[in-house]
């Protein structure tokens, strides 16, 4: 090779390395139903999460960050689109055979990253629908889905672990599906001859506490009915290992170019089936065990990045899609063995709720260059902001006009801005919104149940009268100040109505059967 060719080759390699340095990899570990108080770096004392704590010690722990909703589908929709989910009708808790909820023509986080040369992948829980308006063709090509909204690779739990079909989908097809044993799925009526929890409770290894009494798979009755696809069924005890394995392979395959990987864990959603490595280890029952399992997942991802020499060029984000729930449909003794552990960190409410326990979540960002490591930020931040913040980080100048709600809060994520957003909106499971401005929070009135009606023993936050709380001095939302500050209530109500524009389009329906 001539000196000239060597020089050109060296220059090309140098340019690629420089571009990669300016466009660091992003690994986003998105957990399920993990509460603000469920990890030791956020105050838990009954359980230890050393690997998540290590992320906090090496990064910035945000103590005033919110998912956009108190349930998973709208939170995930907002994270990926940069818009509040309530702007689109039908983005409540998705059914297991729901068609794709994200318009394939719109701007998304992975699409934006791809314009900057990123390879994009998602491994784990999806729950944003698959297929067209009629839902997925389980036995054929399952599209549209993640690949049509910007991901290069997808290895999915199609909805949730407690919903059928209990299979993995890789890109456009079910993994290990035998064409001679096609899958049938129905969410309205029983199909086939597979036993159900309602008809055959004697076959259950984990009994439902409410709902969740349809088709039995691996000794656990689920939401919805299915038959067929026996060779494709997952093993609940090895789901985390499967997701870690696919994550490792994606990281290794894309070493040397910028990549975005969303590791969307099943833990700690129900059914909580810990691997034998973790069963009984937490002394808090199944829920505690799967928190330890989640911590193990974080360790595996970090060790993989280290082994691939990527720690100095990868941003790691850790967060949860909504607040915690103890009993969410199965008799797994989570409530009985909770002890003094406080999943919400003492905040009122929990998953589904309009109170802060529903959507105030742990958020940790570990910067590749050690920026502000080991610090705590109290800046107000919403997960809807990741799209525009990451665009700013990697130099994408123009983001689609269809991204309405995402704000560029990169300085917050870097730890340079300690104030953050002026305001944000939270969504609860039946529709009422909350408006947070500075340290004040206004909850819209709603004539609804005081407790989540199917049994989790969580306050909904629904009241006939407006609610106003001053969160700095009353973080547990105990004293309603609406009558003392009527002008503030009026101001917040008007601001919220202006932001809602055409009103609230999305009414949640939670399916248990």
């Amino acid at each position: 090779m001539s000196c000239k060719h060597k020089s050109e080759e060296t220059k090309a390699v140098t340019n690629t390395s420089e571009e990669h340095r300016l466009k660091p990899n992003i690994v986003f570990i998105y957990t399920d139903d993990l509460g603000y108080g469920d990890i030791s770096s956020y105050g838990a004392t009954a359980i230890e999460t050393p690997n998540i704590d290590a992320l906090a010690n090496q990064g910035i722990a945000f103590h005033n960050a919110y998912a956009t909703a108190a349930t998973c589908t709208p939170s995930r929709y907002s994270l990926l689109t940069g818009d509040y989910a309530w702007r689109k009708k039908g983005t409540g808790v998705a059914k297991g055979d729901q068609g794709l909820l994200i318009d394939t023509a719109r701007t998304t986080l992975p699409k934006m990253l791809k314009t900057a040369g990123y390879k994009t992948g998602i491994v784990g829980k999806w729950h944003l629908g698959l297929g067209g308006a009629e839902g997925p063709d389980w036995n054929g090509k399952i599209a549209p889905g993640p690949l049509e909204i910007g991901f290069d690779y997808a290895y999915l739990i199609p909805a949730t672990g407690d919903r059928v079909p209990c299979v993995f989908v890789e890109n456009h097809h079910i993994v290990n599906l035998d064409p001679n044993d096609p899958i049938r799925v129905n969410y309205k009526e029983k199909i086939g001859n597979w036993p159900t929890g309602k008809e055959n409770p004697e076959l259950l290894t984990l009994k439902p506490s409410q709902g969740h009494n349809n088709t039995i798979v691996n000794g656990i009755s689920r939401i919805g009915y299915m038959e067929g696809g026996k060779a494709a069924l997952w093993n609940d005890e090895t789901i985390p290992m499967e997701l870690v394995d696919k994550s490792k392979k994606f990281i290794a395959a894309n070493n040397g170019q910028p990549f975005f990987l969303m590791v969307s864990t099943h833990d700690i959603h129900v059914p909580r089936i810990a691997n034998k490595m973790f069963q009984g280890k937490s002394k808090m029952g199944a829920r505690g065990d799967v928190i330890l399992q989640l911590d193990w997942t974080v360790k595996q991802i970090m060790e993989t990045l280290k082994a691939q020499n990527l720690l100095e060029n990868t941003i790691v984000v850790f967060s949860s899609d909504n607040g915690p729930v103890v009993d969410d449909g199965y008799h797994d003794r989570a409530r009985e063995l909770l002890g003094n552990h406080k999943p919400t960190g003492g905040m009122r409410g929990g998953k589904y709720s309009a109170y802060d326990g529903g959507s105030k979540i742990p958020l940790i960002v570990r910067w590749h260059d050690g920026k502000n490591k080991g610090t705590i930020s109290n800046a107000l931040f919403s997960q809807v902001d990741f799209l525009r913040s990451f665009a700013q980080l990697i130099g994408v100048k123009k983001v689609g006009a269809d991204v309405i709600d995402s704000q560029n809060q990169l300085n917050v994520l870097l730890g340079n801005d300690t104030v953050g957003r002026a305001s944000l909106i939270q969504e609860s499971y039946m529709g009422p919104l909350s408006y947070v401005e500075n340290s004040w929070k206004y909850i819209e009135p709603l004539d609804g149940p005081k407790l989540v009606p199917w049994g989790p023993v969580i306050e909904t936050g629904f009241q006939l009268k407006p609610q106003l709380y001053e969160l700095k001095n009353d973080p547990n939302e105990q004293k309603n100040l609406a009558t003392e500050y009527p002008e503030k209530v009026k101001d917040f109500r008007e601001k919220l109505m202006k932001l809602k524009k055409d009103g609230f389009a999305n009414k949640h329906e939670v399916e248990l059967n």
Side-chain angles (χ1 to χ4, degrees):
M1 183 182 291
S2 70
C3 291
K4 180 181 178 182
H5 286 163
K6 284 185 178 179
S7 176
E8 289 175 350
E9 185 177 287
T10 302
K11 184 178 180 181
V13 171
T14 302
N15 288 343
T16 301
S17 299
E18 177 65 12
E19 181 183 13
H20 200 174
R21 187 185 68 79
L22 295 173
K23 295 177 180 177
N25 310 313
I26 302 167
V27 174
F28 199 122
I29 303 172
Y30 206 32
T31 72
D32 204 331
D33 295 352
L34 185 77
Y36 186 93
D38 273 329
I39 54 180
S40 40
S41 53
Y42 276 69
T45 56
I47 196 165
E48 292 185 2
T49 51
N51 298 293
I52 299 171
D53 296 351
L55 276 183
N57 291 334
Q58 297 164 17
I60 307 171
F62 294 86
H63 284 202
N64 200 21
Y66 290 85
T68 61
T71 52
C72 59
T73 297
S75 289
R76 291 160 191 268
Y77 180 95
S78 299
L79 175 67
L80 291 178
T81 65
D83 280 352
Y84 290 126
W86 47 262
R87 295 196 184 279
K88 180 176 180 178
K89 188 176 181 180
T91 53
V93 178
K95 297 179 181 179
D97 57 356
Q98 170 76 48
L100 181 65
L101 290 170
I102 298 175
D103 189 332
T104 57
R106 69 156 299 133
T107 304
T108 65
L109 175 59
K111 275 187 186 178
M112 181 277 293
L113 291 165
K114 279 173 70 71
T115 67
Y118 278 70
K119 286 291 184 180
T120 56
I122 179 167
V123 173
K125 176 180 170 177
W126 179 240
H127 209 190
L128 287 165
L130 293 167
E134 300 303 315
D137 174 7
W138 296 114
N139 299 295
K141 182 179 179 180
I142 301 171
L147 272 60
E148 285 68 40
I149 62 115
F151 286 103
D152 294 307
Y153 175 76
Y155 191 88
L156 308 175
I157 295 170
T160 58
D162 58 346
R163 285 172 172 80
V164 299
C166 300
V167 297
F168 294 113
V169 173
E170 187 168 30
N171 296 327
H172 287 136
H173 296 91
I174 289 178
V175 177
N176 295 329
L177 180 63
D178 180 351
N180 297 315
D181 183 24
I183 283 181
R184 290 199 296 153
V185 173
N186 196 302
Y187 271 78
K188 295 179 181 178
E189 58 188 12
K190 184 182 177 182
I191 53 173
N193 297 314
W194 283 20
T196 68
K198 184 176 182 179
E199 297 169 343
N200 304 98
E202 74 281 359
L203 299 179
L204 295 171
T205 57
L206 178 64
K207 296 184 184 297
S209 57
Q210 67 263 347
H212 297 81
N213 62 358
N214 299 153
T215 297
I216 298 172
V217 178
N218 301 336
I220 304 163
S221 48
R222 319 279 170 153
I223 301 171
Y225 301 97
M226 74 170 287
E227 184 182 56
K230 285 186 178 180
L233 295 176
W234 65 48
N235 177 345
D236 290 82
E237 287 193 20
T238 60
I239 287 176
M241 293 75 212
E242 186 78 10
L243 302 185
V244 163
D245 178 65
K246 297 301 178 183
S247 298
K248 286 181 175 181
K249 288 176 179 175
F250 179 87
I251 291 169
N254 292 285
N255 192 342
Q257 61 185 322
F259 66 79
F260 167 68
L261 174 62
M262 188 170 178
V263 183
S264 183
T265 73
H266 176 256
D267 294 326
I268 60 172
H269 196 280
V270 295
R272 302 168 183 133
I273 307 297
N275 188 272
K276 289 181 174 58
M277 290 191 292
F278 306 103
Q279 290 175 13
K281 296 295 175 64
S282 71
K283 310 301 182 186
M284 288 172 55
R287 189 174 184 275
D289 293 348
V290 293
I291 292 176
L292 298 183
Q293 187 166 262
L294 170 65
D295 192 63
W296 172 87
T297 295
V298 171
K299 179 182 180 181
Q300 298 306 304
I301 298 299
M302 296 305 292
E303 286 185 347
T304 299
L305 293 171
K306 183 177 181 180
Q308 293 283 332
N309 295 315
L310 290 171
L311 277 181
E312 293 183 1
N313 200 38
T314 302
I315 300 162
V316 180
V317 181
F318 175 90
S319 197
S320 180
D321 61 354
N322 50 247
V325 54
V326 181
D327 177 355
D328 206 23
Y330 293 98
H331 285 298
D332 60 8
R333 300 190 69 211
R335 184 178 291 158
E336 293 85 343
L337 297 173
L338 196 62
N340 295 322
H341 182 66
K342 297 179 179 179
T344 67
M347 289 182 290
R348 196 172 181 180
K351 183 179 180 179
Y352 310 112
S353 175
Y355 293 123
D356 263 15
S359 54
K360 190 170 186 179
I361 39 76
L363 170 64
I364 300 167
V365 180
R366 181 194 184 278
W367 289 98
H368 54 301
D369 57 2
K371 178 73 174 175
N372 283 319
K373 74 175 197 175
T375 61
I376 291 173
S377 171
N378 289 305
L380 187 63
F381 182 82
S382 172
Q383 288 178 358
V384 78
D385 295 329
F386 277 111
L387 198 155
R388 287 195 183 273
S389 300
F390 283 156
Q392 176 70 22
L393 173 72
I394 63 175
V396 173
K397 302 295 184 185
K398 188 175 181 181
V399 173
D402 56 346
V403 179
I404 299 170
D405 299 305
S406 186
Q407 297 179 3
N408 172 17
Q409 295 291 340
L410 180 59
N411 278 327
V412 168
L413 294 176
L414 288 167
N416 299 332
D417 179 348
T418 58
V419 177
R421 270 181 165 260
S423 64
L424 55 76
I425 296 176
Q426 301 165 276
E427 178 182 355
S428 60
Y429 88 95
M430 277 183 66
L433 301 180
S434 302
Y435 176 83
V436 177
E437 183 177 299
N438 298 321
S439 64
W440 290 89
K441 177 176 176 180
Y442 162 73
I443 304 177
E444 287 184 310
L446 178 80
D447 185 6
K450 296 294 182 287
L451 293 177
V452 176
W454 53 87
V457 194
I458 292 174
E459 287 186 281
T460 60
F462 305 159
Q463 294 189 22
L464 287 171
K465 295 181 180 180
Q467 295 174 75
L468 181 72
Y469 299 100
E470 202 286 299
L471 298 175
K472 185 176 181 181
N473 296 309
D474 183 22
N476 299 335
E477 296 167 280
Q478 295 297 309
K479 187 175 182 181
N480 184 1
L481 300 173
T483 57
E484 296 178 38
Y485 296 91
E487 290 302 314
K488 193 173 285 291
V489 170
K490 180 175 181 290
D491 177 43
F492 287 176
R493 181 173 62 242
E494 290 174 353
K495 287 176 176 175
L496 182 56
M497 290 304 295
K498 184 178 179 181
L499 287 166
K500 286 167 71 171
K501 294 184 175 67
D502 297 325
F504 185 82
N506 174 29
K507 185 174 181 179
H508 284 215
E509 295 178 3
V510 177
E511 293 236 43
L512 294 177
N513 294 298

